[in-house]
Amino acid sequence: MLYKIKLFSRTIILNGFQNKLRTVLSITGIFIGILLFSYTNILVDSFYNAKMYEIEDMPDQSMIIYKRGGFQQKDYESLNALIENSPSLGSCDLSHYLIHSKKLEANITLDTKADIVGVNGSSQSIVTVDDRILHIVPNKIMDGRHISSLDNLLENKVIVIDKVAAQILFPNENPIGKVINFSHYTTNVESTDTEVDAIDNADYQIVGVIGSNYYSEQSKSKIINKINSQKQERLEFKTTVYIPQTIVEKEFARESVGFALWEFDTKRDFIDNRATIKASADSSFSDDGGAIFNDIIVEEYNIIQQIQDYRSLVLVVTLFVCLFSGLNNMNIYFFSIKERIGEIAIRKSLGASRTDIIFQFVCEGIGVGFIASVIAIIASVILGFITIQVVWYFFEINLIFVFNAKSMLLPLLVGLLQSVIFTLLPSFYGSKILVTEALRFE
């Protein structure tokens, strides 16, 4: 057996060098299919990894219902009566208030714009806003204190910001005790020019800094990317700030969103009550529409569904390309075998069986498939890494580059499988050739 393997290996190498054009064409056909398969899988896995990182720190025993335009009084009564555990009720103003503006360079201005979330007491989870969607993030105080019930009662002009906002607004300074003024606001997310005076022009003193989250870190990364590329002269950093709920209700209601946040001590309580709360969100709380339900299960489900759609598309395209290249290679193998009828006849006359002939040609196909797959995997890794950098630079879409054992082995197995499948038929054809027919052909 070892002797046969050595003989077949030598034959594969010699045949490859003797028929360089056919070898190159065979490698190219498999290379294209595997490159597409490996490259698209790297991008899909990178997208999935980035999305899962987005919800990595999301509390897994909290859920939220929110409604644009706010809840009516009867809605609050319904929310409080849903389960025994009463939710934390609050509201946001998504008017993108301009809270700070400074020149970074002679031609670059950085505007910090904030969505306002009302807080009526400390909790383990808190709401953050990203592109007008409310997400639940951990409420980890890093410096100072939370908004308290007393702040709500006395309507104290106090504010809590996150770590990233503190770094941008007050670099190398302690933000506690500093003031923020909601002097202007804009109703258009994309606009930086349409600004009018806000209702509440008071100074809000910073009393606390909470930890950063995925969304604030992403906003910071986009700013750094734009500064480095110098693509824009006026930049926007978007953040979420927290003030007493009583002040939000009185002073900030331009683009109001009401929300109810539930927290549970155990996973069991979370699961037991989730269906009831979600069903209520799916129904209408008031005459002008229903509310939106969100928790870590919803976000993870949406990510998985999105990824499955991408993977299905990748699979269909890859199967089509592999089928096309495989049929092309099969024709090349048929032509190659017809050219080597004399060789087959000599081997049979020396005692080679049909199995030996099949094994030889399949091994040749596997060798070609292995070389093509390895080259394609290396090329896909390089191309994938470059694509991720380009996508972030030009479109600010975050993809976390992923290349693991699966990224390497799966395309390799597909390439080898393709080689075996499309060399079997030509190999069977070659194995059936009789010595007498070979001599007549010669």
Side-chain angles (χ1 to χ4, degrees):
M1 186 64 183
L2 184 61
Y3 170 75
K4 286 185 178 181
I5 293 174
K6 288 182 179 179
L7 178 64
F8 291 159
S9 301
R10 182 173 175 274
T11 305
I12 290 169
I13 295 171
L14 289 175
N15 184 62
F17 281 105
Q18 288 173 358
N19 302 279
K20 294 178 182 177
L21 180 60
R22 282 202 300 274
T23 302
V24 170
L25 289 174
S26 298
I27 290 175
T28 302
I30 298 174
F31 169 81
I32 293 172
I34 301 306
L35 174 65
L36 177 64
F37 178 73
S38 179
Y39 171 68
T40 50
N41 269 288
I42 286 175
L43 292 185
V44 171
D45 288 343
S46 299
F47 178 76
Y48 174 77
N49 213 41
K51 283 294 182 181
M52 293 305 292
Y53 179 72
E54 180 178 330
I55 64 173
E56 189 176 52
D57 293 330
M58 187 174 179
D60 60 358
Q61 292 173 195
S62 302
M63 62 190 78
I64 188 174
I65 288 179
Y66 64 96
K67 186 175 186 301
R68 305 190 189 284
F71 291 110
Q72 298 181 6
Q73 184 58 40
K74 64 177 182 178
D75 297 329
Y76 286 120
E77 294 172 0
S78 300
L79 290 167
N80 281 312
L82 277 178
I83 58 173
E84 292 182 5
N85 186 3
S86 297
S88 299
L89 302 174
S91 59
C92 313
D93 187 347
L94 310 186
S95 297
H96 301 286
Y97 286 84
L98 178 65
I99 61 174
H100 190 264
S101 184
K102 66 177 178 181
K103 278 194 171 293
L104 301 179
E105 298 177 11
N107 61 334
I108 299 179
T109 301
L110 175 61
D111 293 333
T112 300
K113 294 188 176 181
D115 293 312
I116 300 171
V117 174
V119 179
N120 54 20
S122 61
S123 58
Q124 294 181 348
S125 306
I126 202 166
V127 172
T128 192
V129 183
D130 177 64
D131 195 24
R132 284 175 160 71
I133 298 174
L134 271 58
H135 303 273
I136 311 169
V137 294
N139 185 17
K140 298 178 181 177
I141 197 76
M142 296 185 62
D143 195 11
R145 64 176 180 83
H146 288 289
I147 303 292
S148 66
S149 300
L150 186 61
D151 291 326
N152 276 273
L153 182 63
L154 300 178
E155 297 184 8
N156 291 331
K157 304 290 186 178
V158 293
I159 189 170
V160 171
I161 61 176
D162 69 24
K163 178 184 175 182
V164 174
Q167 291 171 345
I168 290 179
L169 296 175
F170 310 103
N172 303 317
E173 294 183 66
N174 184 0
I176 303 300
K178 302 289 186 180
V179 296
I180 287 178
N181 188 287
F182 298 100
S183 56
H184 297 82
Y185 88 103
T186 172
T187 56
N188 189 336
V189 183
E190 305 300 328
S191 172
T192 56
D193 299 321
T194 309
E195 298 169 359
V196 299
D197 289 338
I199 295 174
D200 187 356
N201 201 30
D203 289 334
Y204 284 75
Q205 186 179 49
I206 298 174
V207 295
V209 177
I210 62 172
S212 59
N213 56 68
Y214 172 85
Y215 307 101
S216 58
E217 291 288 353
Q218 276 296 103
S219 187
K220 176 184 175 182
S221 298
K222 290 178 181 179
I223 291 298
I224 294 172
N225 179 46
K226 288 176 180 176
I227 292 173
N228 292 336
S229 62
Q230 295 186 340
K231 291 187 289 186
Q232 296 182 9
E233 294 182 353
R234 199 172 188 94
L235 309 178
E236 279 188 10
F237 169 70
K238 296 171 185 175
T239 187
T240 303
V241 298
Y242 306 90
I243 66 174
Q245 170 64 23
T246 51
I247 298 179
V248 174
E249 293 173 350
K250 290 180 64 175
E251 306 289 351
F252 300 92
R254 289 190 177 85
E255 199 168 340
S256 180
V257 174
F259 67 85
L261 173 66
W262 284 267
E263 294 179 309
F264 298 93
D265 296 328
T266 66
K267 194 75 174 180
R268 183 66 184 174
D269 290 339
F270 171 81
I271 297 298
D272 287 345
N273 292 288
R274 183 178 184 273
T276 301
I277 296 173
K278 187 177 185 304
S280 299
D282 293 337
S283 63
S284 177
F285 273 102
S286 56
D287 297 335
D288 57 349
I292 300 171
F293 176 87
N294 198 11
D295 67 355
I296 191 169
I297 297 177
V298 170
E299 300 232 15
E300 189 172 2
Y301 175 80
N302 291 337
I303 292 170
I304 292 173
Q305 286 295 111
Q306 197 173 9
I307 292 298
Q308 285 178 344
D309 292 340
Y310 290 149
R311 288 200 191 280
S312 299
L313 178 62
V314 168
L315 182 61
V316 170
V317 174
T318 302
L319 284 175
F320 176 78
V321 173
C322 286
L323 180 64
F324 179 79
S325 63
L327 291 173
N328 183 56
N329 281 354
M330 189 167 68
N331 289 330
I332 293 173
Y333 290 133
F334 268 120
F335 187 77
S336 175
I337 286 172
K338 287 181 179 179
E339 275 193 337
R340 296 165 64 184
I341 285 180
E343 175 192 333
I344 294 171
I346 293 172
R347 291 205 60 213
K348 281 197 168 187
S349 66
L350 294 175
S353 64
R354 286 186 61 189
T355 304
D356 292 334
I357 302 298
I358 293 171
F359 188 69
Q360 176 187 339
F361 286 112
V362 169
C363 284
E364 289 184 16
I366 290 174
V368 170
F370 179 79
I371 294 170
S373 298
V374 170
I375 297 172
I377 291 169
I378 294 171
S380 67
V381 171
I382 297 171
L383 189 60
F385 183 80
I386 293 172
T387 301
I388 287 171
Q389 303 305 315
V390 170
V391 165
W392 171 249
Y393 185 83
F394 288 102
F395 305 104
E396 294 180 348
I397 298 174
N398 183 41
L399 300 175
I400 299 176
F401 180 74
V402 174
F403 183 73
N404 48 32
K406 189 195 84 170
S407 306
M408 180 175 63
L409 294 177
L410 190 59
L412 183 61
L413 290 174
V414 171
L416 296 178
L417 183 64
Q418 179 187 358
S419 301
V420 171
I421 291 173
F422 290 102
T423 55
L424 276 176
L425 193 58
S427 299
F428 275 110
Y429 168 78
S431 70
K432 289 182 179 180
I433 295 174
L434 301 176
V435 176
T436 53
E437 291 179 1
L439 291 174
R440 189 162 52 250
F441 180 82
E442 290 294 325

